[in-house]
Amino acid sequence: MTLVNPAAIAPAIASWNKNKNCSPLVLKTLALVALAATPTAASTPGCAPTWVSGGNYSTGSFVSATLTSITTDTEGVETVTSVTKNFECISGVTSESTTSHCPNYDPSNAAQASVSWNDLGECSASTPFVSTVPAPSPISTWNADNGGCPDTWVEDTPYKGGDIAELDGIVYKCSPTPFINLWCGNGSYKPGDSTWWNVAWTKLGSCEGTMSPSASPVFEVLIDV
C-alpha cells in the first residue's frame, strides 16, 4: 500500500471545506492524489503446466506445483496456506528424461525439489504462462598442457578422485570427495549419460584428438664414491 503525505492533500481539503464546490483545481488535485495512492499491481507470471509424476521432464522443463503449509497458533487453531509456484528442472541432460530426477521428484516436496528443481516463485493461474528459455551456454573447450582428449571412460575402472576421462568428446573429472569418487567407474554414474552422473563427475569441456603420452622417465646412474 502507498502512503500519502497528509500535507499533500491538505490544501485541496481546505478549499473543499471552505467553498463547498468542486472547482477544477480541487478535482484535479484530488484525482492526482487518488492516483498516487492507488497501489500498482505486481506482475505475477502465469503458471506452467502442473507437474505430473512420470512426466517427460528434463533439464529446462517448466512446471507448476502447489505447496501447502499448516501453521498452528498459541490456541491450537490450525491455518492452512497454499501457494502455487513455477519450477524449472535442473536435473539430468537436456531433452533426456531418462537421465533426470524431475519425472519422479515432486517439486512440492522440499527435499526432492532441492536437488532437481529451481524455485521460480509464485505464479497466477489466471495469467497465460510464457516461458523464456535462455540460449544454452556453449561448452567450454578443455585445455590440457599436452592437448587432446584423455582416455575414454570405461565402466568398472577404479577411478580415483581427480582422474579425468573422456566420453563422446567431453572431458569429465572424477569427484575428489572421499567415497563418492568410488562411484566414478560405476555404470549408474556414467559421465553425462546417467541419472546421477553429476554426483560423481564434473564436466570440464570438449576436446579433440588424443593426448600425447608422457615422456619416458630418464634414469641417471649414481656411482658410489
Side-chain angles (χ1 to χ4, degrees), residues 118-190:
N118 180 27
D119 186 341
L120 301 179
E122 189 172 350
C123 64
S124 171
S126 60
T127 304
F129 173 70
V130 178
S131 130
T132 303
V133 181
S137 301
I139 298 176
S140 60
T141 301
W142 179 72
N143 293 316
D145 292 339
N146 50 357
C149 298
D151 291 339
T152 300
W153 177 87
V154 177
E155 186 173 356
D156 295 329
T157 298
Y159 293 104
K160 300 184 297 294
D163 284 352
I164 55 175
E166 172 272 341
L167 195 64
D168 299 326
I170 304 297
V171 181
Y172 300 88
K173 181 179 179 180
C174 179
S175 172
T177 304
F179 301 108
I180 289 181
N181 52 36
L182 297 178
W183 299 334
C184 290
N186 189 308
S188 296
Y189 297 84
K190 181 180 179 181

Side-chain angles (χ1 to χ4, degrees), residues 20 25 29 35 39 53 57 62 81 128 136-137 141 173 189 201 214:
K20 302 297 184 182
L25 177 59
T29 302
L35 181 61
S53 178
Y57 307 123
F62 293 93
T81 304
S137 301
T141 301
K173 181 179 179 180
Y189 297 84
W201 294 92
S214 301

